[in-house]
Amino acid sequence: MIVHQNLGSPVPVRLGDAASQGASRASMFNRINWERLSPSPHEALVDSNASPVLLWQPAKQRPDTISPSSLGSQADSRSAVSKDFERWVNLSLWWIRRNGTRVWGLEKNAVRADLDISLSFISSVFALPCALEALEQGLPGR
């Protein structure tokens, strides 16, 4: 998790809290995460709809493959967290698009036929320079 300290601290949520009830996407993730992580009674999760946090899973490069990283938010609306949070997320994603090369996505022209990439999801993947170099040298993206 990446926290932008200037935008505030993460807001805790527990299973019985209002943020875990209802049909919103964030409420559903709160319940799923609670079941998967099984926190103790004195622990809490992060309320995605009230916390200025990004979830980041770094890429993994192994000798035989490279996996994509992921960066995003589980908030139902970034602007509902705050306008500053929405701006920060957009700037972060823009930086990746500006500094990376699109190598995978839904549109046919987004898939680089010269690279060995096979992913089980449909989303845009931008390779930053070091990752692109590894892919261009033949490392499969999985």
Side-chain angles (χ1 to χ4, degrees):
M1 183 180 328
I2 302 171
V3 179
H4 192 306
Q5 296 290 338
N6 295 341
L7 300 180
S9 298
V11 175
V13 63
R14 291 178 174 78
L15 192 55
D17 293 349
S20 291
Q21 307 301 313
S24 72
R25 181 173 63 140
S27 296
M28 179 192 66
F29 277 118
N30 286 339
R31 290 190 300 273
I32 290 170
N33 290 338
W34 193 270
E35 288 177 19
R36 283 186 185 162
L37 299 172
S38 301
S40 67
H42 68 279
E43 294 178 311
L45 299 178
V46 173
D47 184 351
S48 303
N49 275 344
S51 302
V53 299
L54 287 172
L55 302 174
W56 176 48
Q57 183 178 26
K60 293 183 178 108
Q61 185 169 343
R62 297 181 181 95
D64 59 339
T65 60
I66 186 169
S67 65
S69 64
S70 65
L71 179 70
S73 168
Q74 291 179 344
D76 291 323
S77 167
R78 296 173 191 156
S79 63
V81 175
S82 78
K83 287 291 185 188
D84 288 336
F85 175 68
E86 180 180 40
R87 191 174 305 111
W88 176 55
V89 172
N90 289 340
L91 284 171
S92 299
L93 297 176
W94 178 77
W95 184 91
I96 292 167
R97 288 182 179 111
R98 185 173 49 112
N99 290 284
T101 300
R102 190 168 181 178
V103 295
W104 181 261
L106 180 59
E107 300 85 14
K108 278 194 170 215
N109 63 350
V111 178
R112 291 261 315 253
D114 62 316
L115 304 178
D116 182 5
I117 301 175
S118 178
L119 302 172
S120 62
F121 58 83
I122 300 172
S123 186
S124 295
V125 175
F126 289 81
L128 292 174
C130 289
L132 181 61
E133 182 179 342
L135 290 166
E136 288 176 339
Q137 290 178 1
L139 192 62
R142 302 286 184 263

